[in-house]
Amino acid sequence: MKILVLNGPNLGRLGTRQPDVYGRTTYAELVKLCQDVEPEADVRQTDDEATMIGWLHEAADTGTPVVINPGAWSHYSYALRDAAALAPVVIEVHLSQTAAREEFRHHSVISAVARATITGMGVDGYRAALRHLVGATG
Ligand code: DQA
């Protein structure tokens, strides 16, 4: 089934970005492991907030479920939250355990409009989110 897997700022640098925090899996490997779970997963990354909001509008218009790692936008972007609220279903994923990190990472403005939030499971969080969506609606 078609699922949008949307990644926010700096996640294109996975593999080399703070590997002690985010792991050694590269962004290209993340794309592959998502498609291993669901071949129709459409995995995207952007550092541009307007582009991300456009993708969430696309999910709303096409009725496509979303897995999203909003990166730092999670902590302050009300515009992203409002766009996420339009999508049929959203699962929020964070590679790191945000609750155990700096105070500003403890709150996500996206979580209130997400069906679930998965934190601290590394790339396994994406697998779990995709399996849930495929099992729940596919
Ligand atoms: C992140 C956590 C955010 O606080 C951070 O800004 C990121 C990645 C994660 O996957 O753990 O960019 O969303």
Side-chain angles (χ1 to χ4, degrees), residues 9 11 17 22 69 71-72 75 94-96 98 101 105:
L11 291 164
R17 175 192 182 201
Y22 298 118
N69 183 343
H75 311 304
H94 297 282
L95 294 153
S96 65
T98 45
R101 300 182 62 200
R105 296 186 204 275

Side-chain angles (χ1 to χ4, degrees), residues 117-132:
T117 301
I118 301 170
T119 65
M121 286 169 48
V123 294
D124 282 343
Y126 287 78
R127 288 192 183 97
L130 285 163
R131 285 189 186 124
H132 170 77

Side-chain angles (χ1 to χ4, degrees), residues 37-95:
V37 177
E38 174 47 70
E40 284 187 67
D42 184 348
V43 188
R44 307 178 187 177
Q45 189 274 327
T46 183
D47 296 325
D48 175 52
E49 193 174 4
T51 300
M52 180 63 88
I53 289 169
W55 289 343
L56 288 166
H57 291 173
E58 177 186 330
D61 291 342
T62 57
T64 306
V66 172
V67 174
I68 187 168
N69 183 343
W73 291 327
S74 315
H75 311 304
Y76 65 87
S77 177
Y78 298 124
L80 203 64
R81 174 205 169 110
D82 286 350
L86 304 174
V89 53
V90 171
I91 308 228
E92 179 185 8
V93 173
H94 297 282
L95 294 153

